[in-house]
């Protein structure tokens, strides 16, 4: 236990669940904002125009959410997590309202960029706050609840988006998250009363600028390369040069700043380095490959957006089963390293099996492959965050958690870009080869309908063109899934070097009396414990009748 750290009695299960409800609602609206818009994009372009700006609707949010993540974490360490989390919700709500009222593509892209700022804060701070209220040893039992948010968003996002576009308006894909966000704001205001000592701070604005500029240039190159400009172009080389220069300046600035955004001491922490590297390659493998599942179901199997969302349920079921199961075992035994190590092997097997998906693969067999992949993911993601939070002092909890989230998001962005480019490259070979094999000449093929058409346009193609195109898509997707396998194996190798340290049974430097009293303020109007209160509290022993866990 660190010097000055106080042992904190357990909050009740009900109290922790009350906090989790608010945090999970915030995470849900953030995750949904990234998955719900995909099915609405064709309709949006049809109404607002701006086909050439379509990529920016998704890229703008990805860019700002990823680039801002480390800054949110640091600000929460300096000024308190509650006020930062609520600020992120406020930004998200205002930008969602603006996006729904957008009258042209420029306004929509601008609103989505601001929305990304809120998304970055919600994703990073929700997990940091969980680290405040639940000790690492007990956190495993709540892992399944956290993992369910991402699984639900993966399935419900495209499903809900399809329903809203079909029966309402694309504008509701942005407005639907507002009521959920308001509820999250109300819940956190009532129950989230984390004590936080006030002290003077100096924000490293120059370091923040270098980080945002460097990551933005890198993500612009990855997101727009091969779409808005060729990979072998001045734009690619220029943005890469800007990214490298800004990141080098970041290292220089962070080593000299009094309050660095990303403290260099974190990179001297063995666990933080290993989990960040593993999170990065896992992000590449998982997000980069899983995002193409809807294309398989809609283009190759001919399912509707709504049906394709339901058909990915096995992925969520597998994720939830292993996330909940491994979490409870971690709480019971105190051992955690084995789960992400085994999980990455299981995920590698699942991805390898998914590389066998073809036109003739039955949906139930595809569901089995998805279940295996989801089971592997469920043992990895939250355990990496748990290991990171367990290895750093409470003063660095926010920036360490946001750092882990940042590297995973960056890996996902790179995965989407790399595998997207690979898919496009393979389609140029597989579809013409299938058309030739089917005896279809080039002049019989509608222009652009093979690789650029919507699922509906591809489904309307006459035979044998339709079979040739869907077979070509299946072959290209097989290569994409197979290319993700080495990244999962690399993550497995990296995690072999992770040193398993005993899970702490405390939540940092704050006494449990502070946290317990904080909940009383939600029902006692005379209690005024807030994030800013800095009065000392006596240390409290663990409650009687409950022996401490042994790791």
């Amino acid at each position: 236990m660190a010097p000055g750290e106080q042992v904190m009695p357990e909050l009740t299960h009900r109290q922790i669940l009350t906090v989790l409800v608010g945090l999970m609602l915030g995470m849900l609206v953030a995750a949904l904002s990234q998955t719900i818009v995909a099915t609405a994009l064709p309709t949006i372009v049809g109404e607002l125009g701006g086909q050439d700006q379509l990529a920016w609707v998704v890229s703008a949010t990805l860019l700002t959410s990823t680039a801002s993540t480390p800054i949110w974490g640091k600000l929460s360490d300096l000024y308190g997590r509650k006020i930062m989390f609520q600020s992120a919700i406020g930004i998200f709500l205002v930008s969602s309202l603006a996006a729904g009222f957008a009258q042209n593509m420029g306004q929509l892209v601008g609103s989505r960029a601001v929305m990304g700022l809120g998304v970055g804060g919600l994703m990073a701070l929700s997990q940091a706050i969980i680290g405040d209220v639940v000790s690492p040893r007990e956190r495993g039992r709540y892992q399944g609840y956290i993992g369910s948010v991402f699984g639900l968003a993966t399935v419900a996002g495209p499903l809900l988006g399809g329903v809203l576009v079909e029966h309402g308006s694309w504008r509701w894909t942005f407005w639907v998250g507002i009521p959920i966000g308001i509820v999250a704001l109300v819940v956190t205001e009532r129950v989230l009363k984390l004590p936080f000592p006030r002290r003077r701070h100096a924000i490293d604005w120059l370091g923040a600028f270098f980080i945002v500029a460097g990551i933005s240039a890198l993500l612009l190159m990855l997101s727009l390369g091969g779409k808005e400009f060729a990979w072998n172009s001045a734009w690619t080389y220029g943005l890469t040069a800007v990214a490298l220069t800004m990141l080098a300046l970041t290292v220089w600035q962070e080593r000299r700043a009094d309050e660095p955004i990303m403290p260099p001491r974190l990179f001297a922490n063995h666990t933080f380095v290993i989990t960040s590297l593993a999170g990065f390659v896992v992000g590449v493998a998982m997000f980069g490959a899983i995002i193409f599942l809807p294309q398989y179901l809609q283009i190759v199997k001919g399912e509707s957006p709504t049906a394709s969302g339901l058909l990915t349920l096995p992925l969520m079921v597998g994720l939830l089963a292993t996330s909940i199961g491994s979490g409870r075992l971690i709480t019971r035994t105190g051992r955690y390293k084995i789960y992400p190590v085994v999980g990455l092997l299981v995920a590698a097997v699942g991805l390898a099996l998914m590389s066998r998906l073809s036109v003739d693969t039955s949906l139930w067999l595809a569901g089995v492959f998805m279940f295996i992949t989801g089971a592997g993911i469920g043992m990895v993601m939250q355990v990496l965050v748990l290991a990171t939070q367990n290895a750093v002092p409470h003063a660095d909890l926010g920036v360490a958690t946001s750092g882990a989230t940042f590297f995973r998001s960056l890996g996902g962005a790179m995965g989407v870009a790399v595998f997207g480019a690979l898919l496009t490259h393979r389609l140029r070979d597989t579809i013409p080869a299938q058309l030739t094999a089917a005896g279809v000449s080039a002049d019989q093929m509608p222009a652009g309908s093979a690789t650029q058409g919507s699922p509906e346009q591809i489904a309307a193609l006459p035979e044998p063109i339709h079979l040739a195109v869907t077979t070509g898509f299946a072959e290209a997707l097989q290569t994409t899934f197979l290319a993700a396998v080495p990244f999962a194996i690399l993550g497995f190798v990296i995690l072999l070097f992770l040193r398993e340290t005993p899970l702490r049974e405390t939540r940092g430097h704050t006494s449990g009396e502070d946290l317990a009293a904080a909940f009383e303020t939600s029902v006692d109007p005379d209690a005024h414990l807030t994030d800013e209160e800095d009065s000392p509290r006596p240390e409290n022993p663990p409650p009687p009748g409950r022996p401490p866990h042994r790791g």
Side-chain angles (χ1 to χ4, degrees), residues 249-263:
L249 289 172
T250 298
V251 174
W252 169 77
Q253 172 62 17
E254 297 303 87
R255 293 174 65 89
R256 60 189 288 271
D258 293 330
E259 293 278 6
I261 298 295
M262 287 290 288

Side-chain angles (χ1 to χ4, degrees), residues 41 50-63 105 108-110 112-113 216 219-221 223-224 227-229 239:
L41 287 178
Q51 176 71 38
D52 58 329
Q53 297 175 298
L54 181 63
W56 281 99
V57 177
V58 176
S59 299
T61 306
L62 175 67
L63 188 154
M105 193 62 79
L108 179 60
V109 170
R112 289 280 292 174
S216 297
L219 291 179
L220 282 173
M221 186 269 291
S223 301
L224 303 181
K227 303 183 185 77
E228 300 297 314
F229 50 82
L239 287 172

